[in-house]
Amino acid sequence: MTADQQPGDPRADAVLKNLPADKLDALWLLRHPEDETESVRSYDEIVAMLPDVCGVSASRSAVWEFYRWLSLKRRWDQTAQTAAQVRLELLKDESIDPARIEAVAQSIFTAEALEGGNVKAYVELAKVRLKGIEIEQAGRKIKLLEDKARRLDEIEAKAKELTAGGGLSAETLDVIEKQLKLL
Amino acid sequence: MAEELSIGTGRKAVREVLALAPGFWKSLRLLRRGVEELTGARVANDDLRAWIEWNVAEGYVTHRVNAEAEEHEWNITRDGLAKESVK
């Protein structure tokens, strides 16, 4: 807190960081002009320009810290937007579990923020992985059904064998039939 | 890179980084990368964990385990965002 600030006043750098989006963009352009003919402003120049551009004041060190923050913020905002776009694309496929889509969007944000990368490839890879999981689950279901069918056949064969040999009562046969129906 | 951060600066840097892209959680590695970029300082994992844990204890930061990535992740809370607006 500076000598001029009162308790509860925003910090100098917080004042800059809480500016609306259009002011943040304007400040960004002062250090990263899109027009090549424009010069990159120094921090001292920006300190002098702040009251006119944004209606606030800040020290040189606060401005320096602010631009480090703004650089990171712009990159991560772009990354978040990319991950959100992938989320939207995947949500179009109603067969995919929304929880899995959230997990994919999160992993894309993390990977992009850390390393950068090919988002289109992420989307395709995510779809393939999610479809692969569905195929695997379907395969397990089929195996369960096959196992059940085999047990049914075994039980039926045993029942016939016992019936042929006179070894089963009518009541026992009844129980076995009910069990087969449950299977 | 600059030298180590003070405890107060480190704790604040954690909140500032977590407040970015608040819709997404940050792993330890991503958080460390963000703090180092923000401050220009080299950050040790032990220090970073201590700053994170202090913020969690104060209610400024929340934590989860990402089962798919098998990682711990953190995000800013409303109290944490409010803390970053004023001092």
Side-chain angles (χ1 to χ4, degrees), chain A residues 125-143:
Chain A
L125 186 61
K127 283 180 179 170
V128 166
R129 274 180 61 207
L130 291 166
K131 285 296 174 194
I133 289 166
E134 281 176 31
I135 289 168
E136 199 183 334
Q137 285 171 345
R140 280 205 292 270
K141 277 183 192 162
I142 288 170
K143 186 163 180 326

Side-chain angles (χ1 to χ4, degrees), chain A residues 7-11 13-14 17-18 64-65 68-69 72-73 75-77 80 83-84 87 100 103 105-106 109-110 113-115 129, chain B residues 12 15-17 20-21 23-27 29-31 33-40 64 66 68 71 73 83-87:
Chain A
D9 280 357
R11 299 195 311 265
D13 64 312
K17 289 167 187 171
N18 285 296
W64 181 85
E65 282 180 18
R68 290 193 81 98
W69 169 88
L72 185 60
K73 172 182 165 52
R75 210 167 64 255
W76 280 18
D77 279 351
R87 179 197 283 135
R100 293 216 54 86
Q106 174 66 57
F109 173 80
T110 303
L114 276 171
E115 310 290 353
R129 274 180 61 207
Chain B
K12 173 174 165 290
R15 290 193 302 276
E16 285 192 296
V17 170
L20 299 175
F24 292 94
W25 296 74
K26 286 80 179 179
S27 64
R29 190 175 159 210
L30 184 56
L31 188 47
R33 178 78 63 84
V35 169
E36 287 180 343
E37 259 193 62
L38 189 69
T39 62
R64 75 172 189 182
N66 183 327
E68 173 147 331
E71 279 187 318
E73 293 176 333
K83 175 84 174 162
E84 283 313 293
S85 295
V86 298
K87 182 161 187 173

